[in-house]
Amino acid sequence: MLSRYTMFELLTKSAAKYTNGVAQMYRPDKNSPYAKITFQQFFEKARAIGLGLDAIGLKRGDKVGFIADVGQNWLPVSMGINAIGGVDVPRGTDATAQELTYIFKHADCPVIILDNEKVYQSIAASLGLFEHLKTIIFVNPASPQTPSNITVYSLKDIIEKGNAAHAANPERFGELGARIAEDDLVTI
């Protein structure tokens, strides 16, 4: 039973109750067998992502554009955003440049997470319209030319920052989660 209905509570309680149970299955490659992720592994990845986002300045209520296809990273990224009070603004990579421009311009995202460089190239010409954008995070390796006012990270960088933040202050994730209210926005 959840004491509060927040994504942070769902994440932490599920990991505690079903530690070694299967939380997620995915195929690393199209024809390979399914790999399994336990609730504990899922929790640790989502926590690392959340704390990594916190380390780069994401605040409660900040919107994070998240453009990727469903896969092994979708759920932990989304949960990491929500577990620290961020609001995910998700869309698949099949979104048009016009759709993405509209979404990012109107959501005022300080951070966008993109699946790959191809998605970045579709919005590169519109970056000047995104007044609040400070950071782009790539799920898959990429190294595009970006404006000097935008910091670029890989998802691996964010996870490393989050793990370092957890090692330095193991209470931080709980502190961030405790600030979330049941009626806080989770996704748009």
Side-chain angles (χ1 to χ4, degrees):
M1 182 79 143
L2 298 177
S3 57
R4 293 180 320 131
Y5 289 92
T6 68
M7 297 306 272
F8 174 81
E9 286 287 317
L10 178 64
L11 177 66
T12 56
K13 300 290 187 201
S14 296
K17 185 172 183 176
Y18 306 108
T19 307
N20 295 313
V22 177
Q24 185 179 18
M25 294 176 62
Y26 69 95
R27 288 188 176 187
D29 299 305
K30 188 175 183 176
N31 297 316
S32 64
Y34 283 97
K36 297 177 182 177
I37 297 174
T38 67
F39 277 90
Q40 185 62 35
Q41 291 167 322
F42 184 94
F43 168 79
E44 290 171 4
K45 186 172 184 178
R47 178 185 65 200
I49 292 166
L51 288 173
L53 291 168
D54 176 58
I56 65 166
L58 191 75
K59 305 286 184 233
R60 177 179 169 205
D62 280 351
K63 295 166 189 79
V64 179
F66 181 31
I67 311 304
D69 291 326
V70 175
Q72 70 182 22
N73 291 306
W74 184 285
L75 289 173
V77 167
S78 180
M79 192 66 78
I81 293 165
N82 297 153
I84 65 163
V87 178
D88 68 345
V89 183
R91 190 70 177 89
T93 60
D94 61 342
T96 66
Q98 185 179 10
E99 287 175 293
L100 296 178
T101 299
Y102 178 85
I103 290 166
F104 294 146
K105 185 177 176 190
H106 290 87
D108 293 331
C109 302
V111 176
I112 59 174
I113 301 173
L114 302 174
D115 192 43
N116 54 49
E117 194 166 337
K118 182 179 176 187
V119 177
Y120 172 79
Q121 294 305 331
S122 74
I123 61 165
S126 300
L127 291 178
L129 300 173
F130 313 146
E131 294 178 34
H132 297 89
L133 182 62
K134 296 176 187 156
T135 305
I136 296 175
I137 300 166
F138 286 96
V139 174
N140 294 296
S143 54
Q145 292 292 100
T146 58
S148 61
N149 63 325
I150 296 176
T151 304
V152 176
Y153 296 100
S154 69
L155 183 59
K156 181 181 177 201
D157 294 335
I158 296 300
I159 290 170
E160 288 172 359
K161 284 180 175 299
N163 285 332
H166 179 67
N169 182 358
E171 305 302 317
R172 180 68 176 157
F173 192 61
E175 293 166 358
L176 292 168
R179 296 177 186 169
I180 300 169
E182 288 182 347
D183 61 350
D184 282 358
L185 187 60
V186 174
T187 191
I188 56 173

